[in-house]
Each structure stands twice: as C-alpha cells, then as structure tokens.
Amino acid sequence: MTIITNVSGETDSTKLISPYGGKLVNLFDERPIDELRDYASRLHSVQLSDRQVCDLELMVTGAFSPLDRFMGQADHASVLHDLRLTNGYLFPISITLSVEPGRAIRLDQDIALRDSKNEPLAIMTVEEVYEWDLSAEARTMLCTDDPRHPLVAEMYRWGKLNISGPIQAIKLPRHYDFPDLRLTPEQTRKSLEALGHKNVIAFQTRNPLHRAHEELTKRAIQERDGVLLLHPAVGMTKPGDVDHYTRVRTYKAMAAGYYDSQRILLSLLPLAMRLAGPREALWHALIRRNYGANYMIIGRDHASPGLNSMGEPFYQPYEAQALVEKFSEEVGISVLAFSELVYMPDEDRYEELSKLSAKSRTLSLSGSQVREEYLHRGRTLPEWFTRPEVAEILEETHPPRHRQGVCVWFTGLSCAGKSTTAEILTELFLENGRQVTLLDGDVVRTHLSHGLGFSKEDRDVNIRRIGFVAAEIVRHGGAVICAAVSPYRATRNEVRNMVGDDHFIEVFVNTPLEVCEQRDTKGMYAKARRGEITNFTGISDVYEIPQDAELVLDAVEHTPEENALLVLDYLEHDGAIRKPRPRGTSPAFDVRRRVQ
C-alpha cells in the first residue's frame, strides 16, 4: 500500500488544503426550485444513465472541480491525449454525456436532464454536439479495447454523440440509504475543520475494511498527526464487488469500535468508477483534494478491473502510484510508500513485509481466498484477519456458495444444442435439490422481447433483457440457466458484468456450422442462404467465438446428456451444487477453463 501526501507549502496549522483550482464549483441556480422545475417540464428531456447521474452529482457539488460541465470536444480530446483540460488543469478521466443521434437535440437549445425515475435534476444549454470514437477512447483512457474490461463492454451501448454546455442544477439525486453519511465536498470540509487537524488522509475503498487496512490507516494517522477520511466509493464500482450497503455497515462498525472518534470521518462518495488504473488514481487524488484531503492511501493495483481476455492484468502493479508521483508537485500531492502488511502470529501484530526476514512466519489472505476458502464454504473469517463485527456482517450477506446465485449462460450457433443441453441441466439442478429458472432465447423473444427484430441493435436489446432478468435472479441468490445465440462478444461480456464475474459461467456449445445446418429441421439456414432471412448468425451475420468461456462443449462427439453432466461436474467443483449426485463414472471430456 502507499500513502500520498501533500507537498505544497504549509502555513496555517489547522487550515485544510484548498480545492483543486482554488474553489469548489457550485452549479446550483439562484432561481427558486419551483420555477426551474416548471421550466424543465416544458423542455425536451434526456434521461441519464446511472453513471451520468453519479457524474452530474459530483460535478454539481464541486467534487470534480474545476470541471463545471460534461466535456466539450476540445476538453475531451485534451483529457484523452494530455490528461488536462484546455485551461491547463490536470484532469485524467473524460466526463461526457452521450446521446443517440436525432432531431431532438439542437445547438443553443435548453434541455432537461432527468434520472431513471424521470425526476428533473438539471437544465443544460446545448453548446456542442460532436462524435466520439469508442475504440480510440478506450485505448487512450483505459489502455485497452478488450471487451472484458467492464467499461469497454458498457461503452458499446453509449450514444454515438456527446453533448456539452452550461448546467443549472435543480436538485441532487435522492438517496434514501445512509443520508447522514452522504456529505458534499463543502459539508465534508466543514466536518473535517471541526475536528481540528490540518492533515487529512483519504482512504479510497470499494472493499470491506480488514485488519491490515485498519493497521495501515492507524499508522498513517499517527505518523502524520492527522484525521482519516474514510471515503468509500458507493456509486458504480467493479462488477461483482461487495454491495455498498454491506460495505458501509462494515465501515460504520469499524469507525465506531476501533478508531478514535476525533481522528476519523466516514463519508460516502457517489462515484462511478472507470476502473482506469493509473489515470483513475490521479483522478481520485484530485477528487479527494476537493473534499479537503492532503494525503491519500492507494493500493498496488488501484482501480484495477482484474484480468483481461488473455488472463493477464490490465495494469501493472504500482503503475498507478508511479503516475501520481509524476504529477505530485503540480497536484500538491506526493507519494510515501508503505510495503504490504502481513500478520505475524508469533507476535500477534502486523508488520511491513519489506522489514521482515525470509525466515519470519507470516499469515495473509487474498481476496479470492476470503471468498473461496471462507465465505463460500460458510467458514468464519479468522480474527487476525478481520474484526468479528465485520466477519458477522459478511457472513450474513455472503452465504455458502451453494446458496449463492449462479448464472449458466449457453452460447453458440442456432441448432448447436444449447437449448437441449440447458433443459437437461435444468432437470439435474432440480434432481440435486436446487431450484432453477430456465431462460431460453426463443421463449424470451415470445414473452419478453416480442416485437424485436434481428438487427444487431435488437439482438443486443434482447440479450441485455435476458441478462437483466438473470442478474436480478442471481442477486437474490437464485440459479438461472440461459440459452441464447448471443453472437456478440461485447454484449456477452456486458451481461457477465451485470451478473458479476464470480457468479457467471459462460458455456460455449462449439458445433460447426455445417452440423448446425444438418440439424436444422425448420429450414432456417436454407432460407438464410437463399436470402429470404437477413442478419442470420453464421450466414449473413457474424458469430464472435468466446475468448474466455469457462467451458467449451463439443456437441458433435458428445450427446446433450453427456454435456449436461460435464457442466454439472463443473458446478459441483465450483460449489454451486453442494454435493455430487450418485451416478456412474462420467466419460472424460475436453474441459477448458478460460479458453484462449
């Protein structure tokens, strides 16, 4: 772990560092809210995504200072290529408002910005409308256009145009959870000033707080004679992360029971993370400066989305810290390194690994070990690793693996054998005592997606609808089996992100096209070859083979029954099915995890 500390000149012993750019942006209009709401009701509206709502809230309250609008074309290009706004201030992440092309959006027009419940949040005067390039933006800002990156997968459904212009805020988004902890930058600064310490150490986290984090933050407080701003991101984080309700409960327990109340402030940050690694680390530092912090704790893999399609990290360890160091003088922030902390059982304490000899006996747990060896198996986390209150909260919300949600997603060409294998697997789930929902692509089109065609856009809508339903089932601890052609890799990865990588099992039914045509009793392939059906996958439209499926099934050499048993074996090994079903010896199949 690493601590970032301010290097700007110090004068007043209790005055907080100034906001980045000198003052906090405030986009609230002086006109009465009723007058603004009435005006907004007569305007064309743009309904914001959850990400855009998060961005708008932080922009309105000054957390993104000095940024005061969704970026115009010049700022957008400058940020991507130079990490700066056109006014010269550092800003490493593009904040844009994308819309679909249409006559409704015109230059010099006022529009209302609304949330998903159609509540008006702000009024924008459209001064710019410009195109953006998905692949170029992904490669520049994220250093990848791999659709396994959660933001890249999401970007495929953003509008093709960006709009920009001055914003007049009407109201902040309504949050009913933890209202006393949702402090704006101005409110946070006032609370920190009341504690009477100039040095403020911000801790960015999207994970529960464990003993190593506790030790690290307490050392930082002591060494810098400061106060900890425990500042978790509670907007959009990494798909599959512990939900923020659970996390905030653990933070409250830790703050109340294990910290000096005069040395900690817990405040929630409604941030939509980009998982942009190094750029995001610099962005987080700028944001925390606006909240009054002049130190920040950053991990070795800060804002990392995990592994790419080739099973390699998107960003290198400590790459994020290096970028912040590069701009430390300009931002007023420098990097003070702490090595990894490990537990020493013989001395009942934590110590930096770099200070220990190779002979020292140490203990540590990775995130995967916490999930797979403890939470998934119903085992209590050890007290040397986490406080009992935190362990109890995590156990309440993370039952054993066989009681957690799981989605098995069959993909492949039409007539590949997806539906038959899925139906057999459904019976095997029930035989093993686990209730399950089957979402077959053809059935869903009849009941949920009636009226959609077979254009790429309509196919993507259909798959996202299946993914949304599957994600809700999984979120509530249910099992769901989906069988759909789902030809586009980016959309499948988007569904994976909806469900959560730990709960999503992609099964590629790998049947050659010529075999699928032979099996086609409906004659669909023949009609497609005659041109009677357009956009038919495998004939007049592409099928993008999965690069990272958990399982690849050979539906030529093996029957649907054998393939269903193969998937069941995988689920038993994974823990999603609690115990093996009694049966004879299964045939040896070609099982490949994370197929390249």
Side-chain angles (χ1 to χ4, degrees), residues 6 16 18 28 68 96 148 221 276 294 333 335 337 339 376 397 412 449 482 503 550 558 576 587:
N6 172 42
L16 300 180
S18 63
F28 278 101
D68 64 356
T96 56
R148 274 305 294 272
I221 293 170
N294 58 331
I333 291 174
V335 177
S339 78
H376 289 180
T397 55
S449 296
C482 305
H503 303 278
E550 279 71 15
H558 301 291

Side-chain angles (χ1 to χ4, degrees), residues 21 117 123 173 225-226 266 301 341 345 347 363 408 514 528 530 575 589:
K117 299 180 177 63
I123 296 169
D225 187 26
L266 173 58
D301 296 313
L341 291 178
E347 301 180 34
L363 295 175
V408 181
E514 57 271 19
R530 293 195 300 266
F589 300 134

Side-chain angles (χ1 to χ4, degrees), residues 20 26 32 62 89 126 130 201 336 380 433 453 586:
Y20 189 59
N26 183 348
Y89 284 110
V126 180
Y130 62 97
I201 305 108
L336 178 63
T380 298
S586 298

Side-chain angles (χ1 to χ4, degrees), residues 251-467:
Y251 303 142
K252 291 179 68 174
M254 291 295 297
Y258 298 98
Y259 286 86
D260 180 346
S261 62
Q262 296 303 303
R263 295 282 185 166
I264 187 171
L265 176 66
L266 173 58
S267 178
L268 309 186
L269 180 69
L271 179 72
M273 295 183 64
R274 270 63 179 176
L275 301 172
R279 280 180 177 249
E280 185 133 356
L282 182 58
W283 186 45
H284 288 174
L286 297 178
I287 292 170
R288 275 17 182 271
R289 174 168 173 173
N290 288 327
Y291 278 87
N294 58 331
Y295 292 71
M296 185 172 174
I297 298 174
I298 294 183
R300 66 190 292 272
D301 296 313
H302 191 91
S304 170
L307 303 179
N308 62 21
S309 294
M310 304 302 293
E312 300 172 350
F314 279 99
Y315 310 110
Q316 295 303 309
Y318 307 109
E319 190 178 353
Q321 298 169 1
L323 185 65
V324 179
E325 280 186 320
K326 179 180 178 181
F327 294 101
S328 61
E329 184 174 352
E330 181 176 355
V331 182
I333 291 174
S334 65
V335 177
L336 178 63
F338 274 71
S339 78
E340 179 184 358
L341 291 178
V342 293
Y343 180 68
M344 303 180 66
D346 298 333
E347 301 180 34
D348 188 26
R349 67 184 181 91
Y350 275 85
E351 187 51 87
E352 295 177 45
L353 185 61
S354 62
K355 295 182 179 180
L356 302 177
S357 69
K359 297 181 179 180
S360 299
R361 194 164 74 95
T362 64
L363 295 175
S364 63
L365 288 177
S366 67
S368 60
Q369 285 178 304
V370 169
R371 293 189 302 272
E372 296 171 10
E373 297 181 17
Y374 287 88
L375 296 179
H376 289 180
R377 297 184 182 183
R379 296 172 58 197
T380 298
L381 288 165
E383 290 194 28
W384 64 263
F385 177 75
T386 198
R387 296 293 186 180
E389 296 90 334
V390 173
E392 183 178 353
I393 292 171
L394 292 178
E395 289 167 10
E396 289 175 354
T397 55
H398 286 76
R401 183 67 167 171
H402 67 277
R403 293 180 181 173
Q404 294 180 20
V406 63
C407 172
V408 181
W409 187 280
F410 287 91
T411 178
L413 294 170
S414 180
C415 301
K418 302 181 301 300
S419 295
T420 304
T421 307
E423 290 170 2
I424 296 169
L425 183 63
T426 299
E427 298 287 340
L428 295 178
F429 262 75
L430 296 170
E431 178 185 338
N432 281 273
R434 176 133 205 204
Q435 296 299 310
V436 64
T437 298
L438 175 61
L439 297 177
D440 182 80
D442 291 338
V443 177
V444 169
R445 274 193 171 271
T446 299
H447 297 286
L448 185 62
S449 296
H450 181 70
L452 288 180
F454 289 89
S455 66
K456 183 181 187 306
E457 292 73 18
D458 281 1
R459 289 184 177 197
D460 283 344
V461 169
N462 182 53
I463 296 305
R464 290 190 189 108
R465 287 179 180 176
I466 298 174

Side-chain angles (χ1 to χ4, degrees), residues 487-500:
Y488 308 120
R489 192 175 298 130
T491 313
R492 292 195 303 267
N493 281 317
E494 188 179 341
V495 172
R496 179 186 289 270
N497 292 332
M498 288 182 191
V499 173

Side-chain angles (χ1 to χ4, degrees), residues 16 24-26 61-63 183-193 290-292:
L16 300 180
L24 291 175
V25 167
N26 183 348
T61 59
L183 306 180
T184 66
E186 182 178 3
Q187 293 168 334
T188 302
R189 284 175 163 271
K190 289 181 180 179
S191 297
L192 290 170
E193 287 171 353
N290 288 327
Y291 278 87

